[in-house]
Amino acid sequence: MTKPISIYELEGAPNQFFSPFCWASKFAIAHKEIPIDTIRWKFKEGDKIAFSNQGLVPVIVDPNQDGKWVNDSWAIAKYLEETYPDRPSLFGGPQGEAAALFVQKWWLNGPVVTLMKVVMLDLLNAQTPDLQPWFRETREAKFGKLEEFATGAAGVPEFQKALEPLRQTLKEYSHLGGKNGPSYADHYIASFFMLAYAISPVKLLEKDDVMYAWRERMMSAYSGMGRNAVGHPESL
Ligand SMILES: N[C@@H](CCC(=O)N[C@@H](CS)C(=O)NCC(=O)O)C(=O)O
C-alpha cells in the first residue's frame, strides 16, 4: 500500500494554509491518489527543513522511496510524475509537461501580480504580529511600499482582465488538462485561488464567469480538498 507523502506546508493561523506552491503540490499528490501527511511549518522555521539545503516550502518526504525528499513545487510535480507513472498523469505526456511549465511561467509573469495587489494587505494582516515586520520588509523589497502597491477589491477588474486567456480556454475545455479533468496546469492556477480563499474576503470572480465554475470544480476535486480548507466562503 502506498504510504502518505509528508509535505512541509506553510501555516499562518491554525489550519490557515495560504502557500500557493504548497497547494500546487498537495493537488498533485492527491491527483496521484496518494494520501497526504501535512507537517505544519511557519515562516522562519528554516531549521526544520535544513535537511533540504534551502529555506522554502513545499518540501516533500516520500516514505515509499526510502524517505527521499524533494523541494520546489515544479520539481515535486516532475518527481511525482516520474516516480508514479502508473497513477493518473499530471501532464499527459512530455508535450503536456512543457505546456504546464509555460502556463506556470505565464501566470507568474503576469496575472499573479494583479492578484497580489488585491490580496497583499489581507496577506500582511494574516501574519501573526511578531512576523508582520519581517513579512513587510521582505515583500516591500520585491513590490515596494505595500500600501502603494496594494489595491484591495479595487484591483479585481484588472485581475479579471488578466484571466482572459484562461477564460477563453475554459470556454472550450472544462479544464486546462482538457475535457477529462484537471492536470498540473489546473493545480497550479487553482493554488493561487486557494491562497486568496485562505486569507481574503474579496470576491475575485463573478458567478457568470466560466472561471467561477472552473474554480468550483477545482475546489470540489480530490474529495473537496480545497472546499474543506479553512478560508473565506464569503469570497466565493
Ligand atoms: N519556487 C518555489 C517557491 C517556494 C516559496 O516561495 N515558498 C514560500 C511560501 S509560499 C516560502 O517558503 N517562503 C519562506 C520564506 O520566505 O522565508 C516553489 O515553487 O516551490
Side-chain angles (χ1 to χ4, degrees):
M1 211 182 88
T2 313
K3 294 182 198 144
I5 288 182
S6 297
I7 176 166
Y8 285 82
E9 185 177 7
L10 181 59
E11 184 187 43
N15 292 319
Q16 185 188 49
F17 296 107
F18 60 83
S19 161
F21 310 108
C22 293
W23 270 106
S25 295
K26 284 199 301 182
F27 279 130
I29 298 167
H31 188 88
K32 288 288 178 188
E33 299 173 346
I34 299 171
I36 297 169
D37 168 32
T38 290
I39 303 173
R40 294 154 198 268
W41 185 88
K42 306 276 184 192
F43 276 133
K44 299 179 108 173
E45 288 187 338
D47 52 322
K48 293 192 179 162
I49 52 168
F51 64 86
S52 68
N53 305 320
Q54 55 86 56
L56 303 177
V57 292
V59 179
I60 63 161
V61 179
D62 188 350
N64 307 294
Q65 301 293 325
D66 294 329
K68 184 177 169 57
W69 57 263
V70 185
N71 72 284
D72 184 82
S73 57
W74 179 243
I76 290 168
K78 286 197 296 178
Y79 164 79
L80 292 169
E81 191 74 340
E82 277 162 29
T83 311
Y84 298 97
D86 299 334
R87 303 294 182 101
S89 175
L90 291 168
F91 305 125
Q95 298 96 328
E97 182 174 320
L101 185 60
F102 169 77
V103 168
Q104 189 171 311
K105 298 292 178 193
W106 164 72
W107 180 255
L108 291 177
N109 282 282
V112 87
V113 178
T114 66
L115 176 61
M116 293 318 290
K117 285 184 188 173
V118 174
V119 302
M120 184 54 85
L121 292 183
D122 291 326
L123 193 51
L124 172 67
N125 291 325
Q127 308 308 317
T128 50
D130 57 315
L131 281 175
Q132 286 193 13
W134 169 84
F135 184 87
R136 177 183 282 282
E137 193 184 320
T138 51
R139 270 54 192 177
E140 289 195 341
K142 197 168 169 195
F143 299 112
K145 181 88 185 131
L146 294 189
E147 282 71 13
E148 285 164 26
F149 171 76
T151 58
V156 168
E158 191 192 2
F159 173 60
Q160 290 182 346
K161 188 161 179 267
L163 297 175
E164 193 53 28
L166 281 177
R167 186 174 291 115
Q168 289 181 17
T169 307
L170 292 168
K171 275 184 184 154
E172 288 201 42
Y173 299 94
S174 64
H175 297 87
L176 298 175
K179 293 191 194 309
N180 293 335
S183 66
Y184 188 68
D186 295 274
H187 301 156
Y188 198 79
I189 306 293
S191 71
F192 285 81
F193 282 94
M194 290 310 303
L195 151 70
Y197 181 71
I199 51 99
S200 174
V202 174
K203 276 190 201 297
L204 293 174
L205 299 171
E206 311 299 329
K207 281 212 160 87
D208 60 357
D209 187 341
V210 289
M211 291 292 305
Y212 184 98
W214 169 84
R215 184 183 59 184
E216 286 288 298
R217 288 195 286 280
M218 290 306 295
M219 288 188 82
S220 300
Y222 313 116
S223 308
M225 197 166 89
R227 197 170 304 285
N228 295 335
V230 169
H232 288 263
E234 75 277 19
S235 69
L236 300 179

